[in-house]
Amino acid sequence: MPLFVKPGRLLVILTLLLLTTALHASDPVRIAAASDLRYALDDIVQLYREAHPDAAIEVIYGSSGKMTTQIINGAPYDIFFSADIAFPLQLKDKGLTTTEPVVYAIGRIVIWSNTLNAASLTLEDLTSDTIARIAIAQPSHAPYGLRAKEAMQSTGVWDAVQSKLVFGENIAHAAQMAESGAAQVGIIALSLARFPELARHDHYLIDNALHNPLTQGYVVTRRGGNKSEALAFAGFMATDKVHDIMTRYGFVIPE
């Protein structure tokens, strides 16, 4: 039997459909990203926009652990770039992802200072009385902070520097503390030390054998699976141009 809709009701239905489509089209792709990506991902988003001028993308930076908790609690993120692939895997196990977690880079940590010649410093030097404050990201929820802790434990200096440690909410905050002088030294991401403003000062690359690898992974969330733009941006991460940007900031691209 044919279904007939009165003209007035049909107008209302069409108007609602148009409004829904317009709202969906204007809804930006929201990316939650680990703070070590602050400069590299900004460059990647800019490159993506050059090819897709109409793309609406918002990036929020923070600590991987806290952002994982936010997504579990319903935060409206479409893509999650973590500094530790363990967090995207955790979301997958909870049924909160559309795609499988993908490794996009391996990170590194460095000793950096705004006032000292960090290139000549080692982890053992951090016990010196001449160094009063050392900034690291909070190990409980920031992978870069945890790796800094592991490296100091491996070299036997962790207990000796406890009274000197000041903790940033994330690795970008720890870098800011070192840059501002709130700490004389920071153990920060190589990707941040490569940013031109910070690269004016030398750094010391910490041996990655001293800590667990910073295997970084991303995933499209269940919410993002409904957005073609989110899936397109995720695919863009595998391009050579993106890899060139990541390499420039000191990330190791897995084969």
Side-chain angles (χ1 to χ4, degrees), residues 170-229:
N170 51 62
I171 195 60
H173 185 206
Q176 182 183 34
M177 294 169 78
E179 185 181 17
S180 68
Q184 290 166 284
V185 171
I187 299 180
I188 68 172
L190 173 59
S191 60
L192 300 181
R194 286 277 185 91
F195 183 66
E197 288 298 312
L198 276 65
R200 293 178 299 172
H201 302 278
D202 291 334
H203 61 264
Y204 174 79
L205 185 64
I206 294 173
D207 185 352
N208 60 4
L210 296 174
H211 58 81
N212 288 312
L214 277 156
T215 304
Q216 309 199 183
Y218 74 86
V219 71
V220 177
T221 67
R222 191 167 59 194
R223 181 181 188 275
N226 296 321
K227 295 184 178 181
S228 59
E229 196 79 74

Side-chain angles (χ1 to χ4, degrees), residues 4 7 14 19 33-34 38 44-47 49 58 83 87 103 109 116 121 150 165 174 189 191 248:
F4 294 99
L14 289 174
L19 284 172
R38 181 173 295 275
I44 291 168
V45 170
Q46 181 179 343
L47 182 65
R49 284 178 176 147
E58 295 179 359
F87 291 115
V103 176
I109 54 175
L116 304 173
L121 294 177
E150 291 171 354
L165 294 177
S191 60
R248 189 168 75 242

Side-chain angles (χ1 to χ4, degrees), residues 9-255:
R9 183 172 294 179
L10 179 61
L11 180 60
V12 171
I13 292 172
L14 289 174
T15 301
L16 289 172
L17 286 172
L18 286 171
L19 284 172
T20 301
T21 302
L23 286 171
H24 182 73
S26 63
D27 190 21
V29 172
R30 291 185 176 88
I31 298 175
S35 291
D36 67 302
L37 288 170
R38 181 173 295 275
Y39 304 120
L41 191 56
D42 281 354
D43 287 357
I44 291 168
V45 170
Q46 181 179 343
L47 182 65
Y48 184 83
R49 284 178 176 147
E50 290 173 2
H52 305 84
D54 297 329
I57 298 174
E58 295 179 359
V59 184
I60 298 91
Y61 294 100
S63 71
S64 299
K66 285 195 170 182
M67 286 182 155
T68 299
T69 301
Q70 290 169 2
I71 293 170
I72 291 171
N73 291 329
Y77 296 130
D78 303 305
I79 309 175
F80 175 40
F81 288 92
S82 172
D84 188 337
I85 197 169
F87 291 115
L89 287 169
Q90 182 180 341
L91 295 178
K92 176 183 178 293
D93 289 343
K94 291 182 177 294
L96 297 175
T97 66
T98 294
T99 63
E100 292 289 323
V102 176
V103 176
Y104 64 86
I106 308 297
R108 298 294 302 274
I109 54 175
V110 302
I111 299 175
W112 186 91
S113 175
N114 194 22
T115 57
L116 304 173
N117 179 16
S120 65
L121 294 177
T122 65
L123 289 170
E124 288 83 358
D125 293 326
L126 300 182
T127 62
S128 170
D129 292 338
T130 60
I131 297 176
R133 291 287 182 271
I134 304 163
I136 68 171
Q138 179 57 252
S140 63
H141 56 247
Y144 274 84
L146 180 57
R147 299 302 181 265
K149 177 181 178 179
E150 291 171 354
M152 286 188 279
Q153 287 175 326
S154 294
T155 51
V157 304
W158 174 251
D159 292 336
V161 301
Q162 286 296 298
S163 62
K164 303 181 181 188
L165 294 177
V166 289
F167 299 99
E169 275 299 297
N170 51 62
I171 195 60
H173 185 206
Q176 182 183 34
M177 294 169 78
E179 185 181 17
S180 68
Q184 290 166 284
V185 171
I187 299 180
I188 68 172
L190 173 59
S191 60
L192 300 181
R194 286 277 185 91
F195 183 66
E197 288 298 312
L198 276 65
R200 293 178 299 172
H201 302 278
D202 291 334
H203 61 264
Y204 174 79
L205 185 64
I206 294 173
D207 185 352
N208 60 4
L210 296 174
H211 58 81
N212 288 312
L214 277 156
T215 304
Q216 309 199 183
Y218 74 86
V219 71
V220 177
T221 67
R222 191 167 59 194
R223 181 181 188 275
N226 296 321
K227 295 184 178 181
S228 59
E229 196 79 74
L231 295 169
F233 187 85
F236 185 66
M237 291 298 297
T239 63
D240 290 340
K241 288 184 178 180
V242 168
H243 289 172
D244 289 344
I245 291 173
M246 296 291 287
T247 301
R248 189 168 75 242
Y249 280 96
F251 291 101
V252 177
I253 305 300
E255 294 182 1

